Amino acid sequence: MDTIKITNNHEEMKAIAREIMAEKKDYYSDQLLGIIRNLFSGRLSDATNEEIEDLVLLSIYSYWVYGSTTEEFFNYDFANKTHEEKLEYITLRLRLKYIEHLSRKEDAHLLFNKYETYQLFTKEYDRDVILCSTESDYPVFRDFIEKHKEFVVKPTDMSGARGVHKADVIGLDEDGCKKFYLDMLGETERAHEQFRQGEEHSVVVEEIIEQDDELAAFHPASVNGVRVPTIKVDGKVTVYQPWFKVGRGGHFITSSIFGTLMAGIDSETGVIDTLAYPEYGEGYEYHPDSGLRMLGYQIPKWDELVEMATQCALKLPTIGYVGWDFVLSKRGWVIMEGNYSGNFMWQVCRRRGMRKEFEELIGWKFDKEFWWK
């Protein structure tokens, strides 16, 4: 596959996609194609089988030309955009190129490994966090649950909230706690197998953040935070296109799989200046569960958050892009986690591609015709 014809004609796109699938038949297994079809059918319940198959082919073409995932093909409405309009977006494969330019890949473990991140930023986490790898770590867990009967369990090096859940040992005796601990390690092994992600066969167990009442009010069941992307170029840190992340439907985890809403924030003022959008779908001015207005809301202690994010970014001299998740606790802003290659979801909040602006900010652009060249 030396090159691909650029076209706005859907029939030509589908024909090219079929050629790609034939050439890469080992990659496009029945399992992978089934996953892609299920994503489309899950979001388009009224679509016919023929329409689903057309979208599968268009998304495959889009991946090899623009580097977009199936989700991005949906989120950015690529089925209804021209070639020129698609080029305005930063897709997954382009994002990885920019991160490769901005950051030293060998140091990615500092953020991929949640416990290493905690060790670097213990003060900014401001809560108890432990690492559990084997049965021999049970005494550490036992000491932790003496103070924290409820907690959050996170696989050490998996992303996208995979395997993350809230748990408790309330009412368990010693044997029950030991069984819970071993089951917890077993669940992590199964998560690795299910999602085919991560290499660290361990979990971090975290004290639950007691969030500030004001941000909690939007959706009390979840820990509602702010994603603060920091871009560091020549030692100067820019807080770029932050957004408010708030849960929905009683779910504890803020993740796209649970319909989490994202609302863009003006980086200078800390005021929410867009509607709140799920990863795919229409936007909301008011939270659909609590009824509280999000558009125009002033994020509390904004200057403090910007300063904390800036100082955290400076503590990682070889990493130029971080997607920080911060939560306002009752004691102030704390880190929930840092993401080495966090999604550029501000394009969902802003409803437009922002590739040119981003390239101007970092002073570099990817100028090859296709991401895989």
Side-chain angles (χ1 to χ4, degrees), residues 75-291:
N75 297 344
Y76 303 150
D77 193 27
F78 272 11
N80 297 306
K81 285 186 166 59
T82 66
H83 171 66
E84 290 72 22
E85 290 171 329
K86 294 171 190 174
L87 288 178
E88 295 174 1
Y89 282 83
I90 304 170
T91 62
L92 166 70
R93 288 297 177 179
L94 289 178
R95 170 164 54 94
L96 296 179
K97 296 293 183 183
Y98 295 131
I99 291 171
E100 184 179 306
H101 169 76
L102 288 166
S103 302
R104 187 173 183 267
K105 189 175 181 179
E106 291 81 1
D107 294 334
H109 62 91
L110 298 173
L111 294 169
F112 274 126
N113 185 302
K114 294 179 177 63
Y115 195 67
E116 287 191 55
T117 311
Y118 167 71
Q119 290 178 306
L120 283 171
F121 298 100
T122 303
K123 178 182 177 183
E124 292 84 358
Y125 269 65
D126 192 27
R127 63 189 182 279
D128 292 337
V129 179
I130 61 170
L131 178 68
C132 300
S133 302
T134 66
E135 186 174 356
S136 64
D137 294 321
Y138 177 70
V140 177
F141 177 74
R142 192 71 186 82
D143 290 343
F144 178 89
I145 61 176
E146 283 294 322
K147 294 187 291 181
H148 311 293
K149 299 298 183 185
E150 295 181 280
F151 42 83
V152 180
V153 179
K154 299 180 179 180
T156 305
D157 63 349
M158 292 175 64
S159 61
R162 295 176 178 89
V164 178
H165 61 280
K166 185 179 179 181
D168 68 77
V169 292
I170 296 172
L172 297 183
D173 60 14
E174 181 61 28
D175 289 341
C177 289
K178 184 68 175 289
K179 181 179 184 303
F180 173 93
Y181 178 80
L182 296 176
D183 288 345
M184 178 180 71
L185 296 182
E187 288 171 6
T188 302
E189 290 292 332
R190 289 189 289 275
H192 278 284
E193 294 173 4
Q194 178 183 355
F195 298 110
R196 299 180 183 180
Q197 190 184 76
E199 298 178 357
E200 295 291 331
H201 296 278
S202 59
V203 295
V204 293
V205 181
E206 300 186 4
E207 175 187 353
I208 293 175
I209 300 171
E210 189 178 3
Q211 62 182 326
D212 180 81
D213 292 339
E214 190 170 347
L215 291 184
F218 284 97
H219 183 255
S222 58
V223 180
N224 308 315
V226 177
R227 170 62 62 88
V228 183
T230 54
I231 314 296
K232 184 165 75 265
V233 178
D234 297 330
K236 179 183 177 182
V237 176
T238 300
V239 169
Y240 184 73
Q241 296 295 338
W243 67 87
F244 182 43
K245 298 171 64 176
V246 57
R248 283 185 68 184
H251 293 289
F252 174 69
I253 302 298
T254 51
S255 170
S256 62
I257 62 175
F258 297 124
T260 289
L261 297 176
M262 301 169 289
I265 301 171
D266 183 292
S267 61
E268 295 294 326
T269 66
V271 173
I272 293 177
D273 61 353
T274 75
L275 296 178
Y277 293 94
E279 190 168 297
Y280 172 74
E282 297 300 316
Y284 298 87
E285 181 177 351
Y286 296 84
H287 194 286
D289 297 334
S290 66

